[in-house]
mmCIF file of all heavy atoms in Angstrom:
data_model
loop_
_atom_site.group_PDB
_atom_site.id
_atom_site.type_symbol
_atom_site.label_atom_id
_atom_site.label_comp_id
_atom_site.label_asym_id
_atom_site.label_seq_id
_atom_site.Cartn_x
_atom_site.Cartn_y
_atom_site.Cartn_z
ATOM 1 N N GLY W 23 5.577 15.712 23.045
ATOM 2 C CA GLY W 23 4.329 15.143 22.560
ATOM 3 C C GLY W 23 4.097 15.446 21.084
ATOM 4 O O GLY W 23 3.711 14.551 20.310
ATOM 5 N N GLY W 24 4.330 16.702 20.664
ATOM 6 C CA GLY W 24 4.166 17.019 19.258
ATOM 7 C C GLY W 24 5.104 16.259 18.355
ATOM 8 O O GLY W 24 4.729 15.775 17.285
ATOM 9 N N ALA W 25 6.350 16.151 18.753
ATOM 10 C CA ALA W 25 7.343 15.386 17.972
ATOM 11 C C ALA W 25 6.948 13.928 17.868
ATOM 12 O O ALA W 25 7.070 13.310 16.791
ATOM 13 C CB ALA W 25 8.728 15.526 18.611
ATOM 14 N N GLN W 26 6.485 13.345 18.964
ATOM 15 C CA GLN W 26 6.110 11.933 18.928
ATOM 16 C C GLN W 26 4.943 11.690 17.950
ATOM 17 O O GLN W 26 4.994 10.719 17.147
ATOM 18 C CB GLN W 26 5.712 11.470 20.323
ATOM 19 C CG GLN W 26 5.425 9.983 20.452
ATOM 20 C CD GLN W 26 3.993 9.605 20.112
ATOM 21 O OE1 GLN W 26 3.063 10.388 20.344
ATOM 22 N NE2 GLN W 26 3.806 8.444 19.537
ATOM 23 N N VAL W 27 3.905 12.518 18.017
ATOM 24 C CA VAL W 27 2.735 12.307 17.156
ATOM 25 C C VAL W 27 3.151 12.487 15.694
ATOM 26 O O VAL W 27 2.757 11.676 14.821
ATOM 27 C CB VAL W 27 1.609 13.258 17.547
ATOM 28 C CG1 VAL W 27 0.480 13.213 16.504
ATOM 29 C CG2 VAL W 27 1.052 12.903 18.903
ATOM 30 N N LEU W 28 3.885 13.511 15.396
ATOM 31 C CA LEU W 28 4.249 13.791 13.974
ATOM 32 C C LEU W 28 5.193 12.741 13.429
ATOM 33 O O LEU W 28 4.964 12.198 12.328
ATOM 34 C CB LEU W 28 4.909 15.190 13.873
ATOM 35 C CG LEU W 28 3.957 16.389 14.100
ATOM 36 C CD1 LEU W 28 4.724 17.692 14.049
ATOM 37 C CD2 LEU W 28 2.863 16.386 13.040
ATOM 38 N N ILE W 29 6.263 12.422 14.162
ATOM 39 C CA ILE W 29 7.252 11.466 13.634
ATOM 40 C C ILE W 29 6.628 10.055 13.543
ATOM 41 O O ILE W 29 6.770 9.371 12.488
ATOM 42 C CB ILE W 29 8.511 11.462 14.537
ATOM 43 C CG1 ILE W 29 9.167 12.828 14.472
ATOM 44 C CG2 ILE W 29 9.486 10.363 14.059
ATOM 45 C CD1 ILE W 29 10.343 12.977 15.453
ATOM 46 N N SER W 30 5.943 9.627 14.633
ATOM 47 C CA SER W 30 5.312 8.320 14.592
ATOM 48 C C SER W 30 4.234 8.246 13.511
ATOM 49 O O SER W 30 4.123 7.247 12.798
ATOM 50 C CB SER W 30 4.722 7.951 15.963
ATOM 51 O OG SER W 30 5.711 7.898 16.971
ATOM 52 N N GLY W 31 3.446 9.316 13.412
ATOM 53 C CA GLY W 31 2.398 9.346 12.404
ATOM 54 C C GLY W 31 2.916 9.213 11.009
ATOM 55 O O GLY W 31 2.395 8.465 10.167
ATOM 56 N N LEU W 32 3.964 9.982 10.672
ATOM 57 C CA LEU W 32 4.554 9.904 9.326
ATOM 58 C C LEU W 32 5.174 8.523 9.059
ATOM 59 O O LEU W 32 4.996 7.959 7.966
ATOM 60 C CB LEU W 32 5.605 10.968 9.190
ATOM 61 C CG LEU W 32 5.112 12.424 9.109
ATOM 62 C CD1 LEU W 32 6.269 13.411 9.092
ATOM 63 C CD2 LEU W 32 4.237 12.621 7.863
ATOM 64 N N ALA W 33 5.871 7.974 10.039
ATOM 65 C CA ALA W 33 6.491 6.670 9.848
ATOM 66 C C ALA W 33 5.447 5.556 9.653
ATOM 67 O O ALA W 33 5.553 4.738 8.730
ATOM 68 C CB ALA W 33 7.378 6.330 11.044
ATOM 69 N N ILE W 34 4.392 5.533 10.502
ATOM 70 C CA ILE W 34 3.370 4.511 10.377
ATOM 71 C C ILE W 34 2.572 4.723 9.062
ATOM 72 O O ILE W 34 2.240 3.766 8.380
ATOM 73 C CB ILE W 34 2.424 4.560 11.581
ATOM 74 C CG1 ILE W 34 3.249 4.203 12.872
ATOM 75 C CG2 ILE W 34 1.264 3.577 11.426
ATOM 76 C CD1 ILE W 34 2.410 4.431 14.157
ATOM 77 N N GLY W 35 2.300 5.991 8.736
ATOM 78 C CA GLY W 35 1.601 6.278 7.477
ATOM 79 C C GLY W 35 2.378 5.784 6.267
ATOM 80 O O GLY W 35 1.833 5.279 5.283
ATOM 81 N N PHE W 36 3.710 5.944 6.296
ATOM 82 C CA PHE W 36 4.570 5.501 5.190
ATOM 83 C C PHE W 36 4.501 3.980 5.079
ATOM 84 O O PHE W 36 4.402 3.440 3.968
ATOM 85 C CB PHE W 36 5.992 5.956 5.421
ATOM 86 C CG PHE W 36 6.950 5.462 4.383
ATOM 87 C CD1 PHE W 36 7.059 6.128 3.133
ATOM 88 C CD2 PHE W 36 7.770 4.366 4.598
ATOM 89 C CE1 PHE W 36 7.940 5.668 2.188
ATOM 90 C CE2 PHE W 36 8.662 3.915 3.644
ATOM 91 C CZ PHE W 36 8.743 4.573 2.418
ATOM 92 N N VAL W 37 4.516 3.277 6.210
ATOM 93 C CA VAL W 37 4.420 1.824 6.201
ATOM 94 C C VAL W 37 3.076 1.410 5.640
ATOM 95 O O VAL W 37 2.943 0.457 4.809
ATOM 96 C CB VAL W 37 4.648 1.222 7.586
ATOM 97 C CG1 VAL W 37 4.372 -0.274 7.600
ATOM 98 C CG2 VAL W 37 6.067 1.512 8.033
ATOM 99 N N ALA W 38 1.987 2.076 6.056
ATOM 100 C CA ALA W 38 0.653 1.731 5.583
ATOM 101 C C ALA W 38 0.537 1.951 4.067
ATOM 102 O O ALA W 38 -0.081 1.143 3.332
ATOM 103 C CB ALA W 38 -0.384 2.562 6.318
ATOM 104 N N HIS W 39 1.106 3.039 3.569
ATOM 105 C CA HIS W 39 1.100 3.308 2.127
ATOM 106 C C HIS W 39 1.881 2.298 1.361
ATOM 107 O O HIS W 39 1.533 1.942 0.208
ATOM 108 C CB HIS W 39 1.631 4.720 1.865
ATOM 109 C CG HIS W 39 1.420 5.209 0.450
ATOM 110 N ND1 HIS W 39 0.175 5.323 -0.102
ATOM 111 C CD2 HIS W 39 2.313 5.562 -0.510
ATOM 112 C CE1 HIS W 39 0.302 5.760 -1.352
ATOM 113 N NE2 HIS W 39 1.579 5.911 -1.606
ATOM 114 N N ALA W 40 2.947 1.771 1.970
ATOM 115 C CA ALA W 40 3.772 0.763 1.298
ATOM 116 C C ALA W 40 2.996 -0.538 1.101
ATOM 117 O O ALA W 40 3.355 -1.355 0.250
ATOM 118 C CB ALA W 40 5.040 0.502 2.094
ATOM 119 N N PHE W 41 1.920 -0.734 1.874
ATOM 120 C CA PHE W 41 1.089 -1.929 1.735
ATOM 121 C C PHE W 41 -0.151 -1.638 0.839
ATOM 122 O O PHE W 41 -1.199 -2.232 1.013
ATOM 123 C CB PHE W 41 0.621 -2.425 3.118
ATOM 124 C CG PHE W 41 1.668 -3.248 3.839
ATOM 125 C CD1 PHE W 41 2.654 -2.629 4.588
ATOM 126 C CD2 PHE W 41 1.659 -4.629 3.727
ATOM 127 C CE1 PHE W 41 3.611 -3.362 5.246
ATOM 128 C CE2 PHE W 41 2.585 -5.377 4.386
ATOM 129 C CZ PHE W 41 3.599 -4.762 5.163
ATOM 130 N N ASP W 42 0.026 -0.708 -0.089
ATOM 131 C CA ASP W 42 -0.973 -0.424 -1.146
ATOM 132 C C ASP W 42 -2.258 0.196 -0.617
ATOM 133 O O ASP W 42 -3.296 0.108 -1.253
ATOM 134 C CB ASP W 42 -1.315 -1.711 -1.909
ATOM 135 C CG ASP W 42 -0.140 -2.275 -2.653
ATOM 136 O OD1 ASP W 42 0.701 -1.446 -3.122
ATOM 137 O OD2 ASP W 42 -0.013 -3.501 -2.823
ATOM 138 N N ASN W 43 -2.198 0.888 0.494
ATOM 139 C CA ASN W 43 -3.350 1.702 0.929
ATOM 140 C C ASN W 43 -3.226 3.073 0.307
ATOM 141 O O ASN W 43 -2.108 3.594 0.109
ATOM 142 C CB ASN W 43 -3.359 1.792 2.483
ATOM 143 C CG ASN W 43 -3.633 0.470 3.124
ATOM 144 O OD1 ASN W 43 -4.643 -0.155 2.924
ATOM 145 N ND2 ASN W 43 -2.647 -0.010 3.897
ATOM 146 N N ASP W 44 -4.381 3.737 0.013
ATOM 147 C CA ASP W 44 -4.303 5.066 -0.599
ATOM 148 C C ASP W 44 -3.803 6.067 0.458
ATOM 149 O O ASP W 44 -3.822 5.786 1.672
ATOM 150 C CB ASP W 44 -5.670 5.488 -1.148
ATOM 151 C CG ASP W 44 -6.729 5.623 -0.024
ATOM 152 O OD1 ASP W 44 -6.731 6.656 0.656
ATOM 153 O OD2 ASP W 44 -7.510 4.667 0.169
ATOM 154 N N TRP W 45 -3.386 7.223 -0.003
ATOM 155 C CA TRP W 45 -2.710 8.149 0.891
ATOM 156 C C TRP W 45 -3.624 8.702 1.995
ATOM 157 O O TRP W 45 -3.175 8.996 3.089
ATOM 158 C CB TRP W 45 -2.122 9.299 0.106
ATOM 159 C CG TRP W 45 -3.085 10.266 -0.512
ATOM 160 C CD1 TRP W 45 -3.680 10.218 -1.719
ATOM 161 C CD2 TRP W 45 -3.617 11.448 0.149
ATOM 162 N NE1 TRP W 45 -4.563 11.243 -1.896
ATOM 163 C CE2 TRP W 45 -4.534 12.067 -0.756
ATOM 164 C CE3 TRP W 45 -3.404 12.032 1.375
ATOM 165 C CZ2 TRP W 45 -5.225 13.230 -0.491
ATOM 166 C CZ3 TRP W 45 -4.105 13.210 1.694
ATOM 167 C CH2 TRP W 45 -4.979 13.792 0.773
ATOM 168 N N LYS W 46 -4.908 8.795 1.706
ATOM 169 C CA LYS W 46 -5.847 9.311 2.728
ATOM 170 C C LYS W 46 -5.945 8.306 3.911
ATOM 171 O O LYS W 46 -5.827 8.724 5.048
ATOM 172 C CB LYS W 46 -7.218 9.541 2.093
ATOM 173 C CG LYS W 46 -7.245 10.663 1.067
ATOM 174 C CD LYS W 46 -8.664 10.815 0.545
ATOM 175 C CE LYS W 46 -8.739 11.951 -0.503
ATOM 176 N NZ LYS W 46 -10.101 12.107 -1.040
ATOM 177 N N ALA W 47 -6.230 7.061 3.559
ATOM 178 C CA ALA W 47 -6.318 6.062 4.605
ATOM 179 C C ALA W 47 -4.981 5.881 5.360
ATOM 180 O O ALA W 47 -4.968 5.715 6.579
ATOM 181 C CB ALA W 47 -6.774 4.729 4.035
ATOM 182 N N SER W 48 -3.866 5.986 4.602
ATOM 183 C CA SER W 48 -2.551 5.856 5.213
ATOM 184 C C SER W 48 -2.285 7.002 6.210
ATOM 185 O O SER W 48 -1.724 6.802 7.287
ATOM 186 C CB SER W 48 -1.468 5.818 4.149
ATOM 187 O OG SER W 48 -1.666 4.714 3.290
ATOM 188 N N LEU W 49 -2.690 8.185 5.816
ATOM 189 C CA LEU W 49 -2.494 9.358 6.674
ATOM 190 C C LEU W 49 -3.277 9.193 7.994
ATOM 191 O O LEU W 49 -2.769 9.416 9.088
ATOM 192 C CB LEU W 49 -2.904 10.624 5.944
ATOM 193 C CG LEU W 49 -2.805 11.929 6.758
ATOM 194 C CD1 LEU W 49 -1.391 12.189 7.211
ATOM 195 C CD2 LEU W 49 -3.324 13.111 5.941
ATOM 196 N N VAL W 50 -4.537 8.812 7.852
ATOM 197 C CA VAL W 50 -5.390 8.640 9.051
ATOM 198 C C VAL W 50 -4.843 7.516 9.928
ATOM 199 O O VAL W 50 -4.756 7.637 11.160
ATOM 200 C CB VAL W 50 -6.844 8.375 8.637
ATOM 201 C CG1 VAL W 50 -7.698 7.979 9.850
ATOM 202 C CG2 VAL W 50 -7.438 9.597 7.963
ATOM 203 N N LEU W 51 -4.456 6.390 9.294
ATOM 204 C CA LEU W 51 -3.910 5.282 10.080
ATOM 205 C C LEU W 51 -2.623 5.681 10.803
ATOM 206 O O LEU W 51 -2.428 5.343 11.949
ATOM 207 C CB LEU W 51 -3.621 4.099 9.167
ATOM 208 C CG LEU W 51 -4.831 3.219 8.798
ATOM 209 C CD1 LEU W 51 -4.403 2.114 7.793
ATOM 210 C CD2 LEU W 51 -5.432 2.585 10.038
ATOM 211 N N GLY W 52 -1.775 6.417 10.093
ATOM 212 C CA GLY W 52 -0.521 6.837 10.746
ATOM 213 C C GLY W 52 -0.751 7.712 11.987
ATOM 214 O O GLY W 52 -0.154 7.464 13.033
ATOM 215 N N LEU W 53 -1.678 8.648 11.857
ATOM 216 C CA LEU W 53 -1.919 9.536 12.993
ATOM 217 C C LEU W 53 -2.660 8.849 14.115
ATOM 218 O O LEU W 53 -2.355 9.088 15.282
ATOM 219 C CB LEU W 53 -2.705 10.768 12.489
ATOM 220 C CG LEU W 53 -1.923 11.743 11.578
ATOM 221 C CD1 LEU W 53 -2.842 12.809 11.052
ATOM 222 C CD2 LEU W 53 -0.726 12.328 12.293
ATOM 223 N N VAL W 54 -3.644 8.008 13.788
ATOM 224 C CA VAL W 54 -4.422 7.383 14.861
ATOM 225 C C VAL W 54 -3.581 6.327 15.592
ATOM 226 O O VAL W 54 -3.716 6.160 16.817
ATOM 227 C CB VAL W 54 -5.725 6.774 14.309
ATOM 228 C CG1 VAL W 54 -5.505 5.511 13.497
ATOM 229 C CG2 VAL W 54 -6.673 6.461 15.451
ATOM 230 N N LEU W 55 -2.727 5.610 14.855
ATOM 231 C CA LEU W 55 -1.905 4.605 15.529
ATOM 232 C C LEU W 55 -0.713 5.226 16.248
ATOM 233 O O LEU W 55 -0.063 4.579 17.072
ATOM 234 C CB LEU W 55 -1.395 3.588 14.491
ATOM 235 C CG LEU W 55 -2.465 2.689 13.864
ATOM 236 C CD1 LEU W 55 -1.839 1.734 12.895
ATOM 237 C CD2 LEU W 55 -3.225 1.927 14.952
ATOM 238 N N ALA W 56 -0.452 6.528 15.992
ATOM 239 C CA ALA W 56 0.589 7.208 16.753
ATOM 240 C C ALA W 56 0.141 7.511 18.171
ATOM 241 O O ALA W 56 0.962 7.732 19.051
ATOM 242 C CB ALA W 56 0.973 8.517 16.058
ATOM 243 N N LEU W 57 -1.194 7.460 18.392
ATOM 244 C CA LEU W 57 -1.720 7.706 19.704
ATOM 245 C C LEU W 57 -1.610 6.464 20.579
ATOM 246 O O LEU W 57 -1.736 5.344 20.048
ATOM 247 C CB LEU W 57 -3.198 8.153 19.616
ATOM 248 C CG LEU W 57 -3.499 9.311 18.678
ATOM 249 C CD1 LEU W 57 -4.991 9.689 18.748
ATOM 250 C CD2 LEU W 57 -2.638 10.511 18.967
ATOM 251 N N SER W 58 -1.406 6.639 21.858
ATOM 252 C CA SER W 58 -1.283 5.556 22.823
ATOM 253 C C SER W 58 -2.506 5.528 23.735
ATOM 254 O O SER W 58 -3.353 6.408 23.691
ATOM 255 C CB SER W 58 0.025 5.684 23.619
ATOM 256 O OG SER W 58 1.146 5.789 22.767
ATOM 257 N N SER W 59 -2.565 4.531 24.577
ATOM 258 C CA SER W 59 -3.713 4.386 25.484
ATOM 259 C C SER W 59 -3.470 5.091 26.800
ATOM 260 O O SER W 59 -2.664 4.641 27.615
ATOM 261 C CB SER W 59 -3.977 2.894 25.772
ATOM 262 O OG SER W 59 -4.986 2.749 26.726
ATOM 263 N N THR W 60 -4.148 6.213 26.995
ATOM 264 C CA THR W 60 -4.032 6.959 28.262
ATOM 265 C C THR W 60 -4.480 6.112 29.428
ATOM 266 O O THR W 60 -3.829 6.048 30.479
ATOM 267 C CB THR W 60 -4.869 8.230 28.199
ATOM 268 O OG1 THR W 60 -4.434 9.048 27.127
ATOM 269 C CG2 THR W 60 -4.793 9.000 29.495
ATOM 270 N N ALA W 61 -5.565 5.371 29.228
ATOM 271 C CA ALA W 61 -6.120 4.568 30.352
ATOM 272 C C ALA W 61 -5.107 3.502 30.795
ATOM 273 O O ALA W 61 -4.870 3.347 31.995
ATOM 274 C CB ALA W 61 -7.439 3.910 29.917
#
């Protein structure tokens, strides 16, 4: 679980930053999109 959140979060955050988002928004987007739907 820890590896999935960290690796997915960093990868998604890097993609978000590549689309000209600032690092703060990219970091939050990376981590929140790393989460899946429990329900």
Side-chain angles (χ1 to χ4, degrees):
Q26 185 274 327
V27 170
L28 290 176
I29 297 173
S30 298
L32 289 174
I34 297 170
F36 178 79
V37 173
H39 190 60
F41 279 84
D42 296 328
N43 294 298
D44 65 80
W45 70 270
K46 294 180 180 180
S48 299
L49 178 60
V50 172
L51 279 177
L53 291 175
V54 73
L55 293 180
L57 308 184
S58 306
S59 174
T60 300

